[in-house]
Amino acid sequence: MINASEYSGGTSWSSDFCTAVQIDQNDDIDAFNPFSTRYRRLVVWDLPGNNTPIADAPNLAPNGTKTIRIANNAMKIAKPGYNVDTATYAQLAFDSTRLPVKVIRAADIALPSGQSFYECGFPITDNVALDVHFYTGSTIMYPNNPVDLKFGAEYWFDGTRIYFDATQAMRARFMLYLEDNSAPTSGTYNVLRQFNDGTQDVVQFLRPGASNPPSWADIIIDTRWPQVQILAEGYFNVTSGNGNVVDIAFDGTGMFPMVKYMTYHGGGSNFNTNSSWQNRVRMPFLDILKYGYQGQSHTGNSTYCELTANNARFRTFRGNVGDYYEDDNFEWQTDGADPPLGIRYYILGIPV
């Protein structure tokens, strides 16, 4: 149960059984970003944002246990060595009642300055989200380019196309996710479907009881769609310093990687929502000082990552001021920051 109270500035709540998430479209932590893409659609990954290990189970040696279960209401496959009838979620390879994300298109393309489009070849529905990195050269700057804060592109969907409006010539590396949690269709289609789509042979695993043809929600696995893999993941403590560097090497052979990370912070409170917390996890963002202070150009809140084919380099600025400004008496003042204590990162990848 969640106890909620409404305030003019938002909603606050507390519970022993949940994590509170506050989304404020009126703050200005990314006021430098002219695209404001975080206002359009929020994608939440079911992964830890602190140093908690991922819920996983190691593969065991084959021991004769039943690993596949196909029934009229579910299809499950356990990891090697686990009994599918008693396996926990972490011990399952996949489960038709909890579908993996569908990457229905992925590419790394060149964008000219101004408007252009990418043709998907099928109508793009409302239940999609585009995960995209814009970059030049061989290095991706995430969440944004710290040198050119206006670097990037607006994007939108229309018909069968993804349109881009880029500030300059650049590249876009993207994955188009499909989310469809609608109820299964009704029918007697086999769980294994094989056909040729006109250009290639296709194999699909379907939810039991799917109709013919199946809906998006009925498809568990489609050999045309790459599966997102975690190439590297972990947590590191953020130490004090102006522009400290932490390198994370990974094997990106045959993949194109994308980086995701969250910053972990200590306790605090919010007067406007009458809320407090012992710790919190935040989206990463750049926070640039308007006026430099003693060699500092980033505030202590700022972080970013430089991603290449086989390495992710994180830069942090813990210990820097939060702001440097002239007050009403024309005196220069500094504010404190809320710097991250740690960073939880994931290097995702799909086959090229």
Side-chain angles (χ1 to χ4, degrees), residues 2-21:
I2 297 175
N3 299 315
S5 301
E6 296 295 334
Y7 293 88
S8 59
T11 302
S12 69
W13 61 89
S14 62
S15 170
D16 294 332
F17 309 105
C18 73
T19 299
V21 178

Side-chain angles (χ1 to χ4, degrees), residues 213-291:
S215 69
W216 285 110
D218 292 319
I219 302 171
I220 303 172
I221 291 177
D222 187 307
T223 54
R224 295 169 296 183
W225 302 341
Q227 297 296 307
V228 178
Q229 302 176 40
I230 298 178
L231 306 181
E233 63 89 12
Y235 178 93
F236 63 85
N237 294 319
V238 174
T239 57
S240 294
N242 180 22
N244 281 5
V245 170
V246 173
D247 282 313
I248 305 297
F250 60 90
D251 184 3
T253 305
M255 312 289 287
F256 65 72
M258 300 182 73
V259 61
K260 300 294 170 194
Y261 74 93
M262 302 295 283
T263 57
Y264 178 78
H265 302 255
S269 61
N270 187 320
F271 175 79
N272 292 327
T273 59
N274 191 30
S275 59
S276 62
W277 53 88
Q278 293 182 337
N279 51 68
R280 64 172 174 168
V281 174
R282 303 186 71 181
M283 295 170 56
F285 59 92
L286 289 172
D287 199 6
I288 309 297
L289 288 168
K290 184 176 182 180
Y291 304 103

